[in-house]
Amino acid sequence: MQAYTMLQLFEPLQRLLFFDDFNDGVNGWGALIGNYEDRIDAMLPEYMDMRPPMLSNLTMWDAGTSGAIGGAYALKLATRAKPGTFCTAIKRSTFRTAGPVRVEAIVTFKPEASELELGETAVRAFGVVLDLQHADGQAAEPLRVMPHIRYLNAFEGRRVERWQYKNEREPLVDIGTHGKTWSHFHLKSSNWVDIPGGGQRLCYNEIATKHNWYYLRLDFDLAGMRFLGFRCNERDLDVAGIEPMRLPAMPNLWSMLNVVFFVESDAATRAFLYLDSVAVSTAP
């Protein structure tokens, strides 16, 4: 009954691939591990400092424990207390039909409430990424495709409050000596582009321990590998003309459907992104 009630927060397509209410546990979400081969330190430096997500009941000094919007626990992503550091959560799956896919989430973001200040510029950005690859035989020139969207909240202490996308990819690095594994740090904070009309001021509230939750929705077409839509709360952004990041297909990633959420810090304070729940659905 609880899961059914929470699902009412979403507008899924006809086939629900998964619905994760983090009040029930981690549900298969883990850290974005950097690729390696033969030895762990072959991993790109940016991945070595990644922290895994964890469950949190949003305990704080002045309000006790607030919990998530629909229960006791949310999935918490926490960076290190260092500008430009990231935390990610990824769920790895595959798709059955190359059609529309919809990712919906209830989220909120804040810095760690370690000082009696609002901290409205301590979180640089949070966002969502899909990591996809054509199914075997789906395309004459198969591709790995990575739609990236982030909310740039602040940069170097200045509020920005704008949605952005990224389609310029970082160079692929051959990891190891067997020619089987490559890596690139695609979340790097450079080369993001403003989405037209993408300015949006969110409800941040007035002290660091008050959390207001937001609805996110990303629609993407797995047949044409193109954006269909993006929504935050009441705002629909026009993403039809923007291009996702595209790479040559890789030998072991056919039909991949990975969903990634991330948060980046802009200050020497830990930046937090909380996920209350996530629903991923497809059509038909």
Side-chain angles (χ1 to χ4, degrees):
M1 178 61 75
Q2 173 68 13
Y4 176 78
T5 301
M6 291 303 299
L7 192 56
Q8 303 305 304
L9 297 173
F10 299 105
E11 302 171 24
L13 302 176
Q14 293 94 324
R15 175 179 292 163
L16 190 62
L17 289 184
F18 55 86
F19 168 62
D20 293 331
D21 178 354
F22 297 106
N23 201 42
D24 298 328
V26 176
N27 290 305
W29 291 81
L32 180 59
I33 304 296
N35 291 338
Y36 56 86
E37 189 175 284
D38 296 327
R39 64 188 202 286
I40 295 293
D41 61 4
M43 187 184 301
L44 295 182
E46 294 90 343
Y47 288 105
M48 291 183 179
D49 210 21
M50 288 282 189
R51 296 292 186 269
M54 60 180 288
L55 293 178
S56 170
N57 56 12
L58 282 78
T59 296
M60 61 204 74
W61 67 60
D62 51 1
T65 300
S66 67
I69 196 170
Y73 293 99
L75 192 69
K76 174 183 176 183
L77 286 65
T79 71
R80 288 173 57 85
K82 181 179 178 182
T85 55
F86 288 83
C87 185
T88 59
I90 182 171
K91 184 154 184 169
R92 305 177 189 277
S93 185
T94 54
F95 62 85
R96 290 180 252 176
T97 304
V101 61
R102 171 170 289 179
V103 177
E104 299 172 277
I106 304 294
V107 310
T108 190
F109 68 99
K110 281 283 184 176
E112 184 173 28
S114 56
E115 299 179 14
L116 296 176
E117 296 179 355
L118 180 57
E120 75 277 20
T121 60
V123 178
R124 177 173 294 171
F126 69 92
V128 58
V129 173
L130 299 181
D131 193 0
L132 312 165
Q133 183 160 304
H134 282 118
D136 183 23
Q138 180 185 344
E141 297 182 4
L143 295 171
R144 181 178 177 183
V145 182
M146 304 181 72
H148 285 57
I149 289 185
R150 77 172 183 179
Y151 182 72
L152 182 60
N153 175 65
F155 188 74
E156 296 182 345
R158 178 177 57 86
R159 292 291 287 270
V160 181
E161 300 174 298
R162 176 170 294 278
W163 292 99
Q164 298 183 314
Y165 72 100
K166 184 173 184 177
N167 61 12
E168 185 174 332
R169 65 179 172 88
E170 306 297 328
L172 283 176
V173 178
D174 192 353
I175 300 293
T177 58
H178 303 289
K180 298 179 180 178
T181 309
W182 295 266
S183 189
H184 63 143
F185 189 64
H186 49 89
L187 294 175
K188 191 172 288 186
S189 203
S190 54
N191 300 319
W192 290 82
V193 180
D194 292 346
I195 296 176
Q200 184 177 17
R201 290 179 291 184
L202 300 178
C203 179
Y204 189 79
N205 219 308
E206 296 172 308
I207 61 174
T209 55
K210 294 180 179 177
H211 299 81
N212 290 75
W213 296 84
Y214 318 102
Y215 170 75
L216 299 182
R217 186 175 75 203
L218 170 62
D219 287 293
F220 197 81
D221 178 21
L222 298 174
M225 291 295 182
R226 60 187 181 90
F227 285 97
L228 296 176
F230 181 78
R231 184 182 183 102
C232 177
N233 284 354
E234 83 293 348
R235 186 76 59 85
D236 280 305
L237 302 185
D238 182 7
V239 294
I242 69 175
E243 289 290 326
M245 191 180 298
R246 300 177 188 272
L247 302 79
M250 297 187 174
N252 303 308
L253 303 180
W254 305 108
S255 306
M256 183 168 65
L257 171 55
N258 291 346
V259 182
V260 181
F261 289 90
F262 67 92
V263 63
E264 180 182 4
S265 177
D266 196 64
T269 304
R270 295 199 300 165
F272 297 160
L273 175 68
Y274 296 97
L275 307 178
D276 171 87
S277 46
V278 177
V280 176
S281 56
T282 61

